[in-house]
Amino acid sequence: MVQLGIFFGIILFVFCLLNYKTDWVMELDNQMFPILEPFQWLVWFDYLGRGAFITAGAIILIIFLLKKRRMFASITVFMTVGGALFLTEWIKAVVKRERPPFEHGQDGFSFISGHAMYAVIFYLLTCYMIVEVGGYKRHKYYIYAIGILLSILIGVSRVVEKAHYFTDFLGGFGLGLAITLLAIHYYKRTRMKQSPHTLS
């Protein structure tokens, strides 16, 4: 199941990366702006995906994990969230897709959406740690559903604001999903190899 999610995320990212310049994808991107126009209330989710908010949230999560004596879990969060911040900027600099031609007050390049990528990585990692470390396994499906829904709303909010194209959101969400599942998979495998006396 995890492998399927990783594959889906990578395929979604690669598809958007290779096709965002094609006529039919550009047409789809442009059609999404009027479709999402009635959902202006989504702009409030923008704040939950900003770099400063994600960084603060990651620090709080790391402190929580350290208090639970989960050293490797805290390292996993630090490396995954921190790496995502740098990877997003690197991809933007390489792809150099211009932002939508609207008044959105944003600088920099468009692909991929940092909000979409940060959100899915941080919120799904947080959900995983709440379930596995916090002891809420009985409610894991509800917790993961909230995390995924929140990630989608945050990513789409940037399209509503016309600061990103829809494929920027899809590409960021797909890559973020793949990275998150890879991090969780690596974390679980590493924990299984550790001795019972090793802090994890």
Side-chain angles (χ1 to χ4, degrees):
M1 191 67 176
V2 172
Q3 289 85 348
L4 183 61
I6 295 171
F7 178 76
F8 170 77
I10 293 174
I11 289 298
L12 186 58
F13 167 72
V14 172
F15 171 82
C16 293
L17 177 62
L18 297 179
N19 291 280
Y20 75 88
K21 287 185 177 180
T22 60
D23 291 339
W24 72 274
V25 171
M26 292 176 64
E27 180 65 23
L28 172 64
D29 273 335
N30 290 326
Q31 288 179 356
M32 289 305 297
F33 291 124
I35 290 175
L36 293 173
E37 187 68 30
F39 300 94
Q40 290 299 312
W41 54 272
L42 285 174
V43 300
W44 293 101
F45 287 91
D46 172 6
Y47 299 99
L48 300 179
R50 294 186 178 182
F53 188 92
I54 296 295
T55 300
I59 291 173
I60 293 172
L61 179 59
I62 289 171
I63 292 173
F64 164 76
L65 293 171
L66 289 175
K67 286 186 174 181
K68 291 287 187 178
R69 299 178 60 83
R70 297 299 182 95
M71 179 63 70
F72 186 65
S74 64
I75 294 173
T76 300
V77 172
F78 175 79
M79 295 296 293
T80 307
V81 175
L85 296 173
F86 288 103
L87 179 60
T88 300
E89 295 306 313
W90 180 79
I91 292 173
K92 286 176 180 284
V94 171
V95 177
K96 296 182 178 179
R97 185 185 193 184
E98 296 295 331
R99 289 187 182 269
F102 301 103
E103 292 292 334
H104 43 64
Q106 298 293 312
D107 298 320
F109 296 109
S110 190
F111 187 90
I112 51 178
S113 168
H115 273 62
M117 184 155 162
Y118 304 155
V120 69
I121 288 176
F122 171 68
Y123 289 106
L124 282 190
L125 265 183
T126 299
C127 289
Y128 176 79
M129 295 304 173
I130 289 174
V131 169
E132 298 298 323
V133 179
Y136 290 90
K137 293 184 179 181
R138 291 178 57 187
H139 308 288
K140 63 180 181 180
Y141 295 113
Y142 299 107
I143 294 172
Y144 286 132
I146 292 172
I148 293 173
L149 178 61
L150 187 59
S151 301
I152 292 173
L153 293 177
I154 291 171
V156 173
S157 74
R158 300 294 282 164
V159 185
V160 173
E161 292 179 299
K162 299 180 180 178
H164 281 288
Y165 293 101
F166 191 69
T167 46
D168 298 335
F169 155 66
L170 291 178
F173 184 88
L175 183 58
L177 179 64
I179 290 173
T180 305
L181 294 177
L182 276 170
I184 291 173
H185 178 68
Y186 177 73
Y187 168 74
K188 291 172 67 175
R189 287 193 61 182
T190 304
R191 280 201 67 198
M192 289 175 63
K193 294 179 181 178
Q194 292 177 331
S195 69
H197 306 291
T198 303
L199 292 180
S200 58

